Amino acid sequence: MSFELISPNTLRDALDLLDVDDPSIRPFSGGTALRLMMKSGVFSPSKLVVLRGIPDLSGIEISDDGSLTIGALSTLAEVETSALVARQVPVLAGALKHLSNRRVRNVARIGGAIAHGDPHMDLPPLLSALNAEVIVESRNGRRHIAVEDLVIGYYETLLEPDELIVALRIPAQDDWHSAYRKVTARSADDWPALGVATSISHEGKEIRDIRLVVGAATERPTRLDISEGVLRSEGVAGLPRAVEAAMESVEVMDDSHGSATWKKALLGVELRRSVEEILGRNA
Amino acid sequence: MTKKPIKFVLNGREVQAFVSPDDSVVDLLRELDHFGARESCGQGLCGCCTVLIDGVSVTGCLELALLLDGKRINTVEGLDADGQLSAVQQAFIDTGAFQCGFCTPGFILMIEQLLDENPDPTDDEARDYLSGNLCRCAAYPEILSAVRNAAMKRKTAQGADA
Amino acid sequence: MGDKTMTTTEVGRSLPRLEARQKVTGRANYTHNLKLPGMVHAKVFRSTVPHGKILSIDTAEAASYPGVAAVVTGKDILDVVPEPYYGPAFHDQPILALNKVRYVGEPVAVVLADDPRIAAEAVELIDAVYEELPAVYDETEAMTSDAVVHDELKPAGTFPDLKHLNGRKDTNIALDFHLKQGHADAAFASAAHVFAHSFQTQQTMHTPMEPIISLAEPSGDRLIIHTASQSPSFVRSEVARLLGWSENRVQVKVGHLGGGFGAKLYIKLEALVAALALLCRRPVRLSLSMEEQFYTISKHASTFHIKSAVDKDGRITARKCEVLWNGGAYADIGPRVTQKSGFTATGPYDIAAADIDSYALYTNRPPAGALRGFGIPQLVWAYESHTDLIARELGMDPVEFRRRNILKDGRPHVTGTVMKDAAIDAVLETLAERMRWSEPFDRGEGTVKRGRGVAIGFKACVSPTTSVATVTVAADGSVTLHHATVDMGQGSDTAMAQIVAEVLGVRTEEIRVVDPDTDVTPYDMATLGSRSTFHMGNAVRKAAEHARTQLDDMAKSLGMAETAAGRVKEVFRRTYGMQAGTVVGVGTYIPEYVSPNEDGLSDNVTPFWMIGGTGVEVEVDTETGRTKLLKMVNAADLGTALNPRIVETQLSGAAIMQLGFTVSEEMILDGGQVTNASLADYKIPGIKDIPPVIENCIVDAHTETGPFGAKGVGESATFGVSPAVAEAIQDACGVRLTRLPMTAEAIFHALHGDKK
Ligand SMILES: Cc1cc2nc3c(=O)[nH]c(=O)nc-3n(C[C@H](O)[C@H](O)[C@H](O)COP(=O)(O)OP(=O)(O)OC[C@H]3O[C@@H](n4cnc5c(N)ncnc54)[C@H](O)[C@@H]3O)c2cc1C
Ligand code: FES
Ligand code: FES
């Protein structure tokens, strides 16, 4: 197995190296996910385009409207330890502490974490609940994609092979409060068996708006629309119905983390607990 | 397989080496007779292969050796360069924080980093920080004592310096 | 050696391991580090079917792959080893599969190349065709299955007690062990209560952090094998037997091991690298990946049916045990587990009548061998769970029920051996006290419930086995110890040096301990089953005493007083006229032992008993099934600890390992294929999985026959963990699990009834 490792110095050069028709050429940011796939033989690249040397793709900034822009090459550890992130989206800093381990977070980049498309990941559901979007660039220009729409199936995303995520944008959270509950089944440190991300705009116990996203137990991060609807219209009194709706509507997979039956039950419990946690925390 | 030359600084010494694209950092270190970072799980989970690159802990079994070009890499072998064990190394001995020792260099390097960032970690903070290091001999209780012991040693040393 | 009152200075001192500095600086000498001039790397091509006839192996493409030195199959091995079957109990395992494969992952061919990655790539080019045969995976099915894993049983000639099995056909029962004490049937007929339960354990893996590795190096008409092995003497004699050579032509060298736990016993890769090195006449290195370890050796899955007769006062009057051990495709040491552990299946209780039937079974799974406890944790899991269930049904406190039945010193065990230096009751009482058993207990609230449990177990030491050591005193008085106990982290080098230091009156740190090397270190049966402290400890003590006697004699003949420690140099100088000469002390130890008769009875089955127990407090989230261990107390009778600090680490280390086997670890098989053969999917305990409170109690009970009163320690804290957790779960939330591992999901299903 031989491949070429190229380290372009500009975004332009990187984009030029990618090829919409050749998925064996891949962008490589932290490489932590790619290396696992290469070592297990599920992916053999012809060319890896290392993004690490590209300036201007890292850094975390806040705009006047309170939104955060995180460069795609920011490492997960940079995001985890950023004071800005801790202030603006504490839920993200908290979730990162339990995502993989510190060595991987020192190397893995936020762009890679979003682009990977593995269902057993923590950030896609959480960033969806936070209503975040990615800014994507190719030789043909830029586009914005909501994280919620990005992953379309099992290891499948809307990204074309010649597109790069250049940044992540998280809107100002204002009166939105969030929680992310990661459930691991086989040991404390593990990929999630289930991730439940909850964002609520509320005053006291009164729910104004809500975003609920389940990940890891499903083939792709999935919005719990019906449950959201119930909570929007019935408020917290509708919680039991919302939980039931979530368990009924979502297609949960059997996998090495556990059976669908069990994970469905977990989903119900964690969903209820996270709504209660948020409302209780900010009451 | 085409090998490419790279230059880097290994424990303070400049090194040149020829590496293949799929050589990992542990593969390369092995070739350079540095065995302190070693491969066990090969998947980023156990930390036996931990090294510091430009001062940051990295998984040596995943990181590609070619990417070391122009960087500084530190391994456990460099910690006692002056003949003195580091506070963390000494704490490992004083608290008996290992049995077979295969995982030990990885834990030590991680704890060096932890204490640089957070000189006085709680047990829970230490657990979070070390969650990616596995010890099959399960010296975990002693490793947590070693963290506390090393934190104290570092503080005392700083007090003495001041 | 009844030196209970003797005061010691080196023995009993908690000094750090002698090799501590090398370990914290990354410089310890693991076999892993070794590079030999001109060596080639081997990569194994493995079977993809669980049971099948090999129709063809196409190696042409791999052989012509650039950089490949050779491709070797089972047939090629015959050129150097005409009878290529090995194993400690049965000669059943081929060096590379011949004619048949018996499990998915079995080595079928090997590629040799200068670059390990080339070897790995070329392996992908090999193509084998099999005619699949029916396979059997489950131990209960294996008892009666038409799928037969081995055409014929081939016991190793070294064990006279296995001779009758020679050539037995059409069976998967490699060995059946039976014990009959008293009249169990009569006791059952007249019992006030009869209780019967069945329990199961899963197949698990040792996962030493240093994966299994061996190198072989041809050297003239000899062969040097460098290997991460727990049994260098066995490797030497078994490889010599396979090659038809005298033992002195095979040299086996072992460095420090990065963990062993039983995975690195007997022959693992050594016979293969030896054959490969002879075939290609170059040094060969074979280092397994973490994944490949799962295809090499594992811990027995088991099924245990246990039945007790209990009188109206809560005394157990008789017990029947049927234990089925799932040994996988090759027997390894399984038959010994079946027998040497089997006879303790009734537990540490005073029971007059017992029937034990214990079966070693072949199945089409990766082979099972010894893993920290040699079968005992599987047995304790069942008999202690059974004990708690009986106590519940009788409405008795589980500790009280144990007290009533416990086997005390001076009383006979069901084998007929009278218990001696076995502090079973002291271990139980220590646990009860440290768990504050008689005090009120916070049972949690809402949906989160708490419970607690204790369990105890015991183990006989595999017997009779031999250890030999030599202690050399140089003319300057410095001391070197040669012994073949392998230090895999348990601290044996340090403990043995402490014994020598104590006897010779020098400091432990000054003693040089030579790494196992069969050219210079004398015979030792193996480092297993917690036998080393006792057996090798005694041999080392004898060797040191022998050296000391010689020094004393030299001193006497010079008219000096008995050697004062500091004057050894003077003794040599005056004896030899200059700083010259060497004193070699030799010590050999083999304990007394009486083989069981045909009823499995003997009045001396073990040189000593190991006793261990654990108490836990557990919290169960009844909505999700998730459990959290709040506290764990481990207690063990270790005789007198040689190095208390090292011993404590052994206790918590063993208990945490067993905790993994209790709540999470399991090799999952699909059609014989292990589907979770990596640390990504087979989760061993990490630093966040251990209870916040762990207490280790050394129950100090002198062992009269042990070196300075010590006995083995490496396994004792594994015994009680699983049943204590099961009891605590039931105590918390009312459900009883009878199969390991007790995952959150299993607890959830038990609580909520809906099976998947
Ligand atoms: C030991 C271990 C444990 C883990 N545990 C967890 C866990 O608990 N939870 C969890 O969520 N994740 C976990 N992960 C996965 C981890 O989050 C990902 O490996 C990591 O985030 C990927 O980032 P990277 O920069 O290394 O990506 P890379 O490996 O570089 O790339 C991943 C994918 O994204 C593509 N890509 C990379 N950058 C870009 C870009 N800028 N634009 C477009 N495409 C891009 C690559 O081509 C590739 O397809 C774990 C990983 C490891 C190794
Ligand atoms: S070997 Fe690299 S993390 Fe385990
Ligand atoms: S000390 Fe053996 S693996 Fe940690």
Side-chain angles (χ1 to χ4, degrees):
Chain A
M1 178 179 59
S2 197
F3 57 87
E4 217 184 328
L5 198 66
I6 310 174
S7 298
N9 294 319
T10 66
L11 179 58
R12 185 73 230 172
D13 289 349
L15 292 173
D16 283 343
L17 285 161
L18 298 174
D19 182 342
V20 72
D21 296 318
D22 187 352
S24 77
I25 304 175
R26 281 272 189 111
F28 180 103
S29 50
T32 59
L34 282 171
R35 286 284 290 145
L36 283 188
M37 299 199 302
M38 286 158 63
K39 282 188 142 193
S40 64
V42 297
F43 172 60
S44 331
S46 62
K47 220 181 258 179
L48 292 175
V49 179
V50 180
L51 307 179
R52 294 185 195 176
I54 303 174
D56 314 325
L57 284 189
S58 52
I60 303 170
E61 278 164 23
I62 186 162
S63 315
D64 293 344
D65 64 358
S67 67
L68 279 188
T69 305
I70 302 179
L73 285 182
S74 307
T75 66
L76 299 184
E78 278 159 10
V79 180
E80 171 192 354
T81 55
S82 146
L84 257 184
V85 172
R87 199 179 70 213
Q88 298 298 112
V89 253
V91 67
L92 178 58
L96 282 167
K97 277 224 153 39
H98 303 282
L99 184 157
S100 180
N101 58 57
R102 184 54 189 266
R103 275 187 320 281
V104 171
R105 298 199 298 272
N106 280 338
V107 173
R109 307 304 207 262
I110 197 97
I114 299 169
H116 186 35
D118 176 340
H120 291 106
M121 293 185 80
D122 293 302
L123 292 187
L126 174 56
L127 293 172
S128 303
L130 294 173
N131 205 11
E133 61 175 15
V134 285
I135 302 164
V136 172
E137 206 166 310
S138 72
R139 269 163 301 183
N140 308 323
R142 279 193 168 214
R143 56 178 180 144
H144 292 226
I145 308 174
V147 175
E148 181 191 339
D149 301 327
L150 187 74
V151 184
I152 53 176
Y154 197 75
Y155 285 94
E156 254 187 287
T157 67
L158 282 182
L159 294 172
E160 296 293 334
D162 67 342
E163 278 184 316
L164 287 179
I165 296 178
V166 293
L168 166 72
R169 221 191 113 265
I170 305 174
Q173 297 296 301
D174 301 323
D175 58 351
W176 286 82
H177 300 280
S178 308
Y180 176 68
R181 295 181 80 96
K182 170 175 185 165
V183 179
T184 63
R186 309 175 298 190
S187 69
D189 178 66
D190 196 358
W191 281 265
L194 166 75
V196 179
T198 310
S199 267
I200 310 180
S201 157
H202 68 104
E203 200 173 306
K205 295 254 180 243
E206 195 186 315
I207 297 174
R208 280 197 292 258
D209 200 357
I210 186 160
R211 296 173 66 88
L212 301 172
V213 186
V214 54
T218 48
E219 214 173 76
R220 51 173 295 249
T222 307
R223 272 293 280 279
L224 301 172
D225 317 295
I226 307 175
S227 309
E228 287 179 5
V230 171
L231 289 168
R232 263 185 225 110
S233 60
E234 297 178 27
V236 69
L239 190 52
R241 286 228 310 113
V243 164
E244 214 168 286
M247 291 166 63
E248 270 167 22
S249 62
V250 174
E251 196 164 318
V252 172
M253 358 172 240
D254 278 316
D255 63 15
S256 62
H257 297 261
S259 71
T261 324
W262 178 54
K263 285 188 289 185
K264 229 174 224 187
L266 288 180
L267 167 62
V269 173
E270 297 301 339
L271 181 59
R272 191 195 72 225
R273 288 182 186 175
S274 56
V275 171
E276 287 171 351
E277 178 196 326
I278 294 173
L279 297 181
R281 187 188 335 138
N282 304 295
Chain B
M1 215 169 312
T2 42
K3 293 200 173 199
K4 282 196 185 163
I6 59 167
K7 270 193 201 165
F8 58 100
V9 177
L10 172 57
N11 294 326
R13 219 165 42 85
E14 261 191 60
V15 179
Q16 261 208 64
F18 284 85
V19 297
S20 310
D22 60 350
D23 273 336
S24 72
V25 168
V26 246
D27 293 336
L28 172 61
L29 286 171
R30 199 183 149 72
E31 244 155 70
L32 299 172
D33 290 336
H34 280 56
F35 303 110
R38 37 189 81 123
E39 184 153 331
S40 177
C41 73
Q43 292 181 302
L45 293 151
C46 73
C48 287
C49 59
T50 303
V51 296
L52 307 184
I53 298 179
D54 284 350
V56 175
S57 63
V58 166
T59 305
C61 68
L62 294 181
E63 189 72 357
L64 291 172
L66 270 177
L67 299 174
L68 284 181
D69 198 21
K71 308 231 174 245
R72 271 183 306 116
I73 173 163
N74 290 84
T75 69
V76 72
E77 285 94 342
L79 282 179
D80 65 340
D82 59 357
Q84 283 278 317
L85 295 181
S86 76
V88 179
Q89 288 176 311
Q90 191 58 51
F92 263 64
I93 296 181
D94 293 349
T95 58
F98 53 89
Q99 295 189 29
C100 77
F102 206 74
C103 68
T104 308
F107 271 101
I108 287 176
L109 288 173
M110 289 304 287
I111 294 169
E112 298 280 355
Q113 296 258 294
L114 166 65
L115 296 179
D116 288 349
E117 272 175 42
N118 178 356
D120 214 357
T122 63
D123 276 6
D124 274 343
E125 286 167 337
R127 281 196 182 92
D128 274 344
Y129 205 93
L130 300 173
S131 72
N133 290 68
L134 294 171
C135 174
R136 190 49 152 169
C137 302
Y140 300 123
E142 294 80 8
I143 290 168
L144 289 171
S145 324
V147 173
R148 293 188 289 262
N149 183 295
M152 216 135 72
K153 285 196 165 85
R154 282 187 167 206
K155 261 187 271 172
T156 319
Q158 262 165 13
D161 285 349
Chain C
M1 294 181 203
D3 40 18
K4 188 163 193 164
T5 53
M6 177 175 162
T7 50
T8 58
T9 54
E10 291 300 311
V11 158
R13 180 156 76 91
S14 282
L15 74 150
R17 288 176 165 74
L18 295 177
E19 75 289 1
R21 193 174 172 116
Q22 283 107 290
K23 283 185 174 169
V24 300
T25 55
R27 299 190 183 93
N29 64 327
Y30 303 104
T31 303
H32 183 86
N33 304 357
L34 202 64
K35 295 177 182 173
L36 299 171
M39 83 184 172
V40 283
H41 296 266
K43 184 75 187 176
V44 177
F45 171 81
R46 296 175 183 278
S47 167
T48 49
V49 303
H51 196 191
K53 279 199 190 109
I54 302 173
L55 298 181
S56 65
I57 307 171
D58 182 354
T59 59
E61 210 182 329
S64 60
Y65 193 69
V68 167
V71 183
V72 175
T73 66
K75 288 217 176 83
D76 303 319
I77 299 283
L78 297 176
D79 292 345
V80 284
V81 189
E83 264 299 310
Y85 294 92
Y86 64 87
F90 286 76
H91 292 160
D92 60 356
Q93 189 158 5
I95 293 175
L96 285 176
L98 269 177
N99 309 319
K100 234 177 117 166
V101 289
R102 297 182 177 85
Y103 70 96
V104 177
E106 176 164 6
V108 171
V110 171
V111 176
L112 297 169
D114 293 301
D115 183 325
R117 275 163 309 187
I118 302 258
E121 283 167 31
V123 155
E124 303 288 321
L125 305 174
I126 298 178
D127 187 25
V129 182
Y130 309 95
E131 178 193 325
E132 279 209 54
L133 299 168
V136 59
Y137 307 110
D138 177 84
E139 59 273 12
T140 303
E141 283 167 23
M143 290 286 283
T144 53
S145 172
D146 291 335
V148 174
V149 181
H150 289 268
D151 301 337
E152 173 178 333
L153 301 186
K154 290 187 216 159
T158 37
F159 294 114
D161 61 325
L162 302 183
K163 262 199 200 110
H164 64 289
L165 297 170
N166 207 349
R168 204 177 267 188
K169 287 189 177 174
D170 291 327
T171 180
N172 289 316
I173 303 176
L175 177 103
D176 51 327
F177 167 79
H178 305 282
L179 179 148
K180 231 176 165 19
Q181 172 67 264
H183 302 286
D185 285 330
F188 272 95
S190 64
H193 315 271
V194 172
F195 302 96
H197 301 105
S198 296
F199 301 90
Q200 287 185 307
T201 67
Q202 79 286 31
Q203 189 174 18
T204 59
M205 209 266 143
H206 316 60
T207 67
M209 298 312 286
E210 175 202 38
I212 300 172
I213 176 169
S214 298
L215 298 86
E217 184 184 3
S219 165
D221 67 344
R222 306 170 63 247
L223 196 60
I224 307 169
I225 298 175
H226 307 266
T227 179
S229 168
Q230 296 174 230
S231 48
S233 303
F234 182 87
V235 169
R236 168 157 97 160
S237 56
E238 188 73 344
V239 171
R241 181 186 68 77
L242 287 164
L243 297 175
W245 290 7
S246 60
E247 287 197 23
N248 65 0
R249 289 172 63 193
V250 180
Q251 180 181 8
V252 180
K253 300 181 73 164
V254 178
H256 276 279
L257 259 57
F261 317 112
K264 299 174 179 172
L265 276 171
Y266 311 111
I267 296 291
K268 288 295 166 290
L269 310 177
E270 294 87 351
L272 178 56
V273 290
L276 294 172
L278 291 178
L279 282 169
C280 75
R281 285 182 263 146
R282 284 172 71 179
V284 173
R285 177 183 198 260
L286 175 51
S287 166
L288 297 188
S289 64
M290 186 56 80
E291 175 186 352
E292 288 177 295
Q293 296 204 90
F294 287 87
Y295 308 133
T296 307
I297 190 68
S298 67
K299 174 170 171 170
H300 289 82
S302 68
T303 297
F304 189 158
H305 306 289
I306 183 166
K307 193 168 149 185
S308 296
V310 179
D311 72 12
K312 61 179 190 344
D313 302 320
R315 287 207 171 71
I316 305 164
T317 54
R319 193 162 260 188
K320 291 191 178 188
C321 304
E322 186 188 51
V323 196
L324 311 183
W325 303 92
N326 193 326
Y330 296 103
D332 199 85
I333 200 62
R336 283 286 173 245
V337 170
T338 304
Q339 189 179 27
K340 299 278 176 186
S341 293
F343 70 71
T344 66
T346 55
Y349 300 108
D350 199 333
I351 303 174
D355 286 354
I356 298 174
D357 302 300
S358 181
Y359 300 92
L361 291 150
Y362 283 119
T363 61
N364 297 105
R365 289 178 180 240
L371 197 171
R372 210 168 195 170
F374 220 70
I376 297 296
Q378 289 99 316
L379 297 175
V380 185
W381 155 246
Y383 64 63
E384 284 295 83
S385 293
H386 180 61
T387 300
D388 285 320
L389 287 169
I390 297 176
R392 282 177 179 277
E393 292 192 43
L394 294 175
M396 275 179 79
D397 175 81
V399 170
E400 187 48 41
F401 178 65
R402 285 180 172 83
R403 278 189 190 120
R404 196 161 296 186
N405 287 287
I406 210 150
L407 186 56
K408 296 218 168 82
D409 258 21
R411 294 282 306 159
H413 171 249
V414 295
T415 48
T417 297
V418 174
M419 300 304 290
K420 187 161 176 296
D421 294 340
I424 306 173
D425 41 359
V427 166
L428 178 65
E429 295 310 329
T430 304
L431 288 175
E433 188 194 312
R434 295 290 276 267
M435 292 290 293
R436 302 176 197 281
W437 196 259
S438 52
E439 290 171 30
F441 176 68
D442 171 9
R443 308 208 146 264
E445 52 190 52
T447 53
V448 178
K449 309 279 195 212
R450 291 177 167 201
R452 57 189 180 156
V454 297
I456 53 172
F458 75 146
K459 176 174 185 277
C461 190
V462 57
S463 199
T465 64
T466 302
S467 291
V468 187
T470 62
V471 168
T472 307
V473 184
D476 66 349
S478 62
V479 181
T480 303
L481 168 64
H482 288 88
H483 74 122
T485 291
V486 175
D487 199 325
M488 45 192 178
Q490 82 279 34
S492 53
D493 280 0
T494 310
M496 298 305 163
Q498 284 179 275
I499 292 175
V500 176
E502 186 66 48
V503 173
L504 294 179
V506 293
R507 276 181 67 74
T508 304
E509 289 85 340
E510 290 163 14
I511 291 176
R512 157 101 176 102
V513 182
V514 175
D515 285 338
D517 172 348
T518 56
D519 268 12
V520 294
T521 51
Y523 176 87
D524 178 47
M525 183 259 186
T527 305
L528 62 80
S530 306
R531 63 175 290 282
S532 301
T533 300
F534 186 87
H535 293 79
M536 186 56 84
N538 270 319
V540 164
R541 181 180 179 160
K542 284 181 157 189
E545 284 170 350
H546 183 213
R548 189 182 171 133
T549 311
Q550 296 174 61
L551 292 171
D552 286 347
D553 289 348
M554 283 160 69
K556 258 187 241 149
S557 62
L558 293 168
M560 293 165 66
E562 292 208 340
T563 346
R567 297 181 60 196
V568 175
K569 206 169 163 170
E570 192 185 333
V571 172
F572 274 100
R573 208 179 42 243
R574 287 179 52 190
T575 304
Y576 297 105
M578 59 185 287
Q579 187 172 316
T582 308
V583 159
V584 182
V586 182
T588 298
Y589 186 78
I590 178 165
E592 284 169 17
Y593 172 76
V594 179
S595 293
N597 64 17
E598 60 265 31
D599 281 336
L601 308 181
S602 154
D603 60 9
N604 189 358
V605 279
T606 178
F608 65 95
W609 297 93
M610 287 162 259
I611 325 288
T614 293
V616 294
E617 289 178 15
V618 168
E619 194 170 88
V620 183
D621 180 337
T622 55
E623 287 185 298
T624 62
R626 287 208 296 273
T627 54
K628 208 179 340 173
L629 243 70
L630 303 171
K631 174 174 170 172
M632 172 186 250
V633 180
N634 306 305
D637 160 11
L638 317 167
T640 306
L642 296 174
N643 184 323
R645 163 115 62 68
I646 292 184
V647 157
E648 263 200 56
T649 329
Q650 280 279 305
L651 290 185
S652 53
I656 292 167
M657 188 171 203
Q658 185 66 28
L659 186 60
F661 301 144
T662 302
V663 299
S664 69
E665 295 177 43
E666 173 166 23
M667 285 167 63
I668 312 267
L669 265 75
D670 181 6
Q673 168 72 52
V674 184
T675 59
N676 60 340
S678 76
L679 293 191
D681 289 313
Y682 180 96
K683 286 294 180 182
I684 65 173
I687 199 162
K688 291 169 81 172
D689 296 301
I690 63 167
V693 180
I694 299 180
E695 295 174 17
N696 301 309
C697 316
I698 301 176
V699 176
D700 204 1
H702 195 78
T703 309
E704 208 189 317
T705 49
F708 297 97
K711 63 165 97 157
V713 35
E715 305 161 316
S716 306
T718 62
F719 302 164
V721 176
S722 308
V725 171
E727 170 62 16
I729 290 170
Q730 183 168 15
D731 191 39
C733 66
V735 299
R736 168 63 59 168
L737 275 70
T738 56
R739 186 184 184 282
L740 294 178
M742 297 179 280
T743 59
E745 172 157 9
I747 296 168
F748 173 85
H749 288 309
L751 277 165
H752 299 276
D754 36 351
K755 273 264 153 245
K756 52 173 158 170

